[in-house]
Amino acid sequence: MSAAPLRFRWATRTDTGLVRDQNEDAVFPDPGTAGEAEHLVAAVADGMGGHAGGEIASAAAIEAVATVSGPATIRVNAANLAVQEAAAQRPRLSGMGTTLTLAIFDGDGTVEVGHVGDSRAYLLHDGSLTRITADHSFVAEMMAAGRMTQAEAEAHPYRSVLTRAVGLEHTVEVDVFEHELAAGDRVLICSDGVTALLEDEEILRILTEHDDPEGAADALVAAANAAGGIDNVTVAVVDATPAGSEEK
């Protein structure tokens, strides 16, 4: 546990990008906002399903995360049910689903991350960037098994195929990670519209160049668009600060 209680400064951003006609990503807290709190839930969902399906799936998942209390597994399972119920009401959207990566921050200095899909969570600590989550995708699992190189994965026709998503089955397996945070740590949650275009080294550079979450979030979106903007781009940036350090 951290030596001192913490507060959390956050900013969220989402952008359609330069190629897609609609934004199938969703984020919590509300997109385009920023703030500070002693307790915080932040989440990113990247919907899939074509037409309006992806947008509806990600929105349903984020609404469940925001309204249901409890640990990460409870919230993700609530999101899974919410997406299924939304699909049941719209038979033409059967098979829609979404990624979901969320983080529950507590003032005691702990963060719990729940994860399904290929949106990611990162931790920036003492100048070093660590990926918290592992992608649930065909190419990621092939790479983990030593059956595909990074170069092969980047060019593979199945590089966007997920092996796990919210809303596709009655139950969903949730990866859960717990970390102790220190003042000065920064957590990034982002959709693959960021990570498909920016290497971890570039993400690290952007995160370290901007002192405030708003600047970092804006810069990540701008960099992804500058690199091609081939997908929707969504980020949540959360900074751990000493309790009592809130700006007046």
Side-chain angles (χ1 to χ4, degrees), residues 90-113:
R90 304 168 179 83
R92 67 184 178 86
L93 301 181
S94 176
M96 71 179 180
T98 184
T99 72
L100 181 59
T101 302
L102 66 91
I104 304 172
F105 298 86
D106 193 272
D108 67 1
T110 60
V111 60
E112 181 188 35
V113 174

Side-chain angles (χ1 to χ4, degrees), residues 118 137-140 152-162 192:
D118 66 353
S137 69
F138 173 78
V139 297
E152 290 171 337
E154 291 175 356
H156 200 281
Y158 292 167
R159 61 187 178 276
S160 298
V161 174
L162 298 181
D192 68 343

Side-chain angles (χ1 to χ4, degrees), residues 71-156:
T73 300
I74 296 295
R75 294 177 192 252
V76 175
N77 278 281
N80 192 64
L81 178 60
V83 174
Q84 289 189 324
E85 290 178 343
Q89 296 170 7
R90 304 168 179 83
R92 67 184 178 86
L93 301 181
S94 176
M96 71 179 180
T98 184
T99 72
L100 181 59
T101 302
L102 66 91
I104 304 172
F105 298 86
D106 193 272
D108 67 1
T110 60
V111 60
E112 181 188 35
V113 174
H115 169 68
V116 178
D118 66 353
S119 297
R120 294 180 182 174
Y122 290 87
L123 172 63
L124 176 63
H125 171 77
D126 197 23
S128 177
L129 186 68
T130 301
R131 189 190 306 178
I132 298 172
T133 55
D135 294 348
H136 300 138
S137 69
F138 173 78
V139 297
E141 294 183 4
M142 291 289 284
M143 289 174 60
R147 298 172 62 186
M148 186 180 293
T149 66
Q150 178 70 40
E152 290 171 337
E154 291 175 356
H156 200 281

